[in-house]
Amino acid sequence: LLFLSYLVVPPVTGKQLKALDCFPFSATDGSQRLRLDTNIDCESDSHNQFIIVDCLLLLIYLSIPMIWLVLLYRQRDSLWPPGISDESIIIQRRRVESDLLVLRFLFDRYKPSMACFESLDIARRILFVGVIPLMAASSMVRSAIGLGFALVSMILYRELTPFMSAETNVVAYIADIVIYLTFASALMIETGLSGSMDDFTFGLILVAVNFSILVTAITSAFFRTLLDKEQSFQKKEKFVKQIEDATEFTHHKFATTFDVINRTLITPTHCAIQYYASLQEIKHILRHGIP
């Protein structure tokens, strides 16, 4: 249920806020129409009644990130164990805490000190998607406001680098740059600073800029997957105690080796497995496991 709320909050609140976005439709009678559907009169009794219901539901959905913060705060001793400053130990403890299992999607990607950052990021997305269009009637003013918020967001992500993965921090920062450039471009169009370039060409450039973040994210995910596989292989190699050549194999060839391993390295909760294969197959097993 918590994860479902995480998925629906940004799109649903965006739709709810768009239902409040009205603009002057006629200069003669001063009527207000809904920007999403100009057939809807914002001054009608039915729309005013709808606004009341919409605002109540909006408050419910906007309270969800606050509920996340409360739930995380209640687990603060598990999220930030007292007396432990090593981030790697904190991360390991978090992954085995059963009380944090249902909340893991909120903090698992972030540094230990940034466990509550997801609520802030949700608020940022709602701001860009739904709140900024309601801040001013003029497109130029909205573009300027969005430009300011995008600059603040860009600086925030650059300075905090909230994610554990360096690649994710880079992608998030590039995404903020793209948002900033989008608002800057909109402001240039509104103020006429785009010069002789026609709107269609300018729009194509904007589409290309926004598409670049998708390419960056896919490329980053691809190389991150390769890196994780290599690190997993190296980690498995470290657990391999010894690989011996089975040339001139006899029944007792590994008896001494296994006797020493059993007495010195194998704990009572583990067992030793003797596996015979070619060196090439052994390397394959280290990467993919025993078939």
Side-chain angles (χ1 to χ4, degrees):
L1 187 60
L2 281 172
F3 185 68
L4 180 62
S5 70
Y6 170 79
L7 295 176
V8 302
V9 166
V12 171
T13 52
K15 292 291 185 183
Q16 290 172 327
L17 289 166
K18 285 180 181 179
L20 305 175
D21 187 10
C22 298
F23 72 103
F25 184 72
S26 174
T28 56
D29 60 5
S31 63
Q32 298 277 327
R33 297 282 179 169
L34 189 67
R35 194 179 301 276
L36 196 63
D37 185 355
T38 54
N39 290 320
I40 298 176
D41 184 1
C42 291
E43 297 174 346
S44 64
D45 292 337
S46 60
H47 188 263
N48 289 332
Q49 293 172 0
F50 171 78
I51 287 176
I52 296 173
V53 177
D54 187 50
C55 289
L56 289 174
L57 293 174
L58 187 60
L59 287 175
I60 293 174
Y61 275 93
L62 289 177
S63 67
I64 290 177
M66 299 301 297
I67 294 173
W68 295 346
L69 288 175
V70 172
L71 293 174
L72 290 172
Y73 180 76
R74 291 179 62 183
Q75 300 295 335
R76 59 190 180 277
D77 289 340
S78 298
L79 286 170
W80 304 283
I84 300 177
S85 58
D86 191 323
E87 289 193 347
S88 61
I89 297 177
I90 293 175
I91 292 170
Q92 290 176 359
R93 287 174 62 98
R94 285 180 178 181
R95 288 175 177 170
V96 298
E97 284 283 351
S98 58
D99 293 339
L100 296 177
L101 184 61
V102 295
L103 299 173
R104 187 171 296 172
F105 69 95
L106 291 174
F107 62 81
D108 209 32
R109 299 175 298 154
Y110 296 98
K111 296 176 180 177
S113 59
M114 296 288 172
C116 298
F117 196 83
E118 187 62 44
S119 295
L120 176 62
D121 188 62
I122 286 287
R124 181 188 70 94
R125 281 184 269 173
I126 294 173
L127 172 70
F128 282 117
V129 171
V131 177
I132 290 177
L134 301 177
M135 288 185 169
S138 169
S139 299
M140 183 174 67
V141 176
R142 290 199 301 269
S143 300
I145 293 173
L147 188 68
F149 279 119
L151 179 61
V152 172
S153 178
M154 190 167 60
I155 295 172
L156 189 68
Y157 272 82
R158 185 192 65 186
E159 296 301 320
L160 294 180
T161 56
F163 299 99
M164 286 195 292
S165 168
E167 292 85 356
T168 306
N169 284 316
V170 171
V171 171
Y173 181 59
I174 293 175
D176 276 328
I177 293 175
V178 170
I179 294 172
Y180 178 84
L181 292 176
T182 301
F183 279 111
S185 302
L187 189 60
M188 289 175 64
I189 292 173
E190 290 295 329
T191 55
L193 293 177
S194 56
S196 59
M197 185 181 298
D198 62 279
D199 292 346
F200 180 75
T201 304
F202 208 79
L204 286 178
I205 294 174
L206 280 179
V207 170
V209 169
N210 281 271
F211 185 72
S212 67
I213 185 61
L214 178 62
V215 175
T216 303
I218 293 174
T219 304
S220 175
F222 174 74
F223 284 107
R224 181 66 190 178
T225 301
L226 294 180
L227 180 62
D228 288 343
K229 286 184 177 180
E230 185 61 31
Q231 289 177 343
S232 175
F233 171 68
Q234 293 175 359
K235 185 177 180 180
K236 289 177 181 178
E237 273 191 322
K238 291 180 181 179
F239 283 103
V240 176
K241 302 305 179 183
Q242 189 166 346
I243 298 177
E244 287 195 10
D245 189 2
T247 305
E248 299 179 0
F249 174 77
T250 63
H251 182 67
H252 300 289
K253 180 174 179 60
F254 297 102
T256 305
T257 301
F258 267 85
D259 182 57
V260 173
I261 290 175
N262 285 326
R263 285 188 289 102
T264 60
L265 299 175
I266 306 301
T267 64
T269 58
H270 292 67
C271 64
I273 297 176
Q274 187 176 10
Y275 190 88
Y276 300 98
S278 66
L279 184 59
Q280 183 178 1
E281 187 179 353
I282 289 294
K283 290 181 178 180
H284 178 81
I285 288 169
L286 289 177
R287 289 185 180 273
H288 305 287
I290 297 175

